[in-house]
Amino acid sequence: MELIPAAVEAFSEKYTSPESGLMYKLNRETHLKFELPHMLSGQVQGEFLRIVSHMIRPRRVLELGTYTGYSAICLAAGLTTDGILHTIDVNEELETLCHQYFEASGNADKIKMHIGKAADIIAQLDEVFDLVFIDADKAGYVHYYDQVWDKLRPGGFILADNVLYHGQVLAPESEQGSQAKAMVRFCEKVLADDRAEQVLLTIRDGVLMIRKK
């Protein structure tokens, strides 16, 4: 399903700040060398993440799902001078590439990459986060939400990616795949949580922005 018409996407890209040379290079390398390049945030969503980071000026950020590091670099852009971004991914084969681009971004000293299962690593992090970006396995979103909630400061934000899941969430439940069903369960959970307030943004594949009251 085409969630956003190509003409609207092109118009949005035209009037969004362009990728830096570094981000363009990472975007191209991801598309040329790796499977599932659509997992990369890209220009519009990447710029959204970068601006949110500058708005919040977070001291601690948690990212679940690093992939090739594009979103991590965007999220690290607005960190305070003593800020740290923890990013977690299960795929160790991407670690070298990520570190190369983290170094080139100038924020390598602020980005700590963890390889392993997100649930295990989150439990080991003794941090209070200002911002959390969830972009990992869709079936795990509900659990990750519960797991990070007590580590998120009051007034802190969670951004959950892919909540529209290619438009499959709009289909009757009987026609939804397991990933789409997981996204609906997650959105329903957040909607029912009176500790949170949220807005679903129709950026790219859908971003649910959640604020801890």
Side-chain angles (χ1 to χ4, degrees):
M1 179 183 293
E2 184 181 62
L3 283 171
I4 303 173
V8 176
E9 288 274 19
F11 191 85
S12 176
E13 291 170 3
K14 178 179 178 180
Y15 291 103
T16 296
S17 297
E19 292 176 307
S20 67
L22 178 69
M23 302 310 286
Y24 176 79
K25 181 181 177 183
L26 176 53
N27 194 335
R28 289 292 298 149
E29 185 166 357
T30 300
H31 277 79
L32 289 170
K33 295 183 179 179
F34 299 99
E35 295 181 0
L36 307 175
H38 67 274
M39 290 171 56
L40 181 140
S41 290
Q43 177 199 353
V44 175
Q45 183 173 312
E47 188 64 9
F48 168 73
L49 296 176
R50 191 185 71 82
I51 288 178
V52 166
S53 182
H54 278 292
M55 288 171 62
I56 298 173
R57 295 291 294 163
R59 184 171 179 271
R60 291 292 183 269
V61 177
L62 174 62
E63 177 184 50
L64 309 181
T66 314
Y67 192 42
T68 56
Y70 192 104
S71 53
I73 293 171
C74 296
L75 289 164
L79 285 167
T80 58
T81 54
D82 62 342
I84 295 293
L85 181 145
H86 293 274
T87 183
I88 304 171
D89 203 279
V90 73
N91 189 351
E92 63 184 14
E93 294 180 359
L94 296 174
E95 187 174 10
T96 299
L97 177 78
C98 289
H99 282 298
Q100 289 174 354
Y101 278 94
F102 294 161
E103 287 287 346
S105 76
N107 276 328
D109 60 328
K110 294 184 176 184
I111 302 175
K112 294 187 177 181
M113 187 171 183
H114 307 266
I115 300 296
K117 293 183 178 180
D120 295 339
I121 294 168
I122 293 168
Q124 299 169 12
L125 296 176
D126 184 18
E127 298 278 19
V128 176
F129 294 102
D130 304 291
L131 177 62
V132 176
F133 182 47
I134 304 178
D135 189 18
D137 57 293
K138 309 314 165 194
Y141 273 38
V142 166
H143 177 68
Y144 298 143
Y145 179 81
D146 288 335
Q147 198 175 16
V148 304
W149 190 261
D150 289 340
K151 295 177 183 288
L152 183 69
R153 69 165 174 83
F157 292 87
I158 296 173
L159 299 174
D161 199 13
N162 303 116
V163 292
L164 294 179
Y165 204 74
H166 316 302
Q168 291 182 27
V169 295
L170 306 178
E173 184 177 356
S174 60
E175 298 176 16
Q176 293 173 3
S178 59
Q179 305 281 58
K181 288 178 179 178
M183 292 294 85
V184 173
R185 285 196 301 272
F186 173 71
C187 289
E188 290 286 351
K189 178 182 178 64
V190 176
L191 182 64
D193 190 348
D194 61 9
R195 304 170 301 171
E197 52 190 7
Q198 64 282 334
V199 57
L200 200 161
L201 304 170
T202 53
I203 297 174
R204 192 166 161 265
D205 198 27
V207 176
L208 189 62
M209 175 180 270
I210 305 157
R211 178 181 176 272
K212 183 175 182 178
K213 294 180 182 177

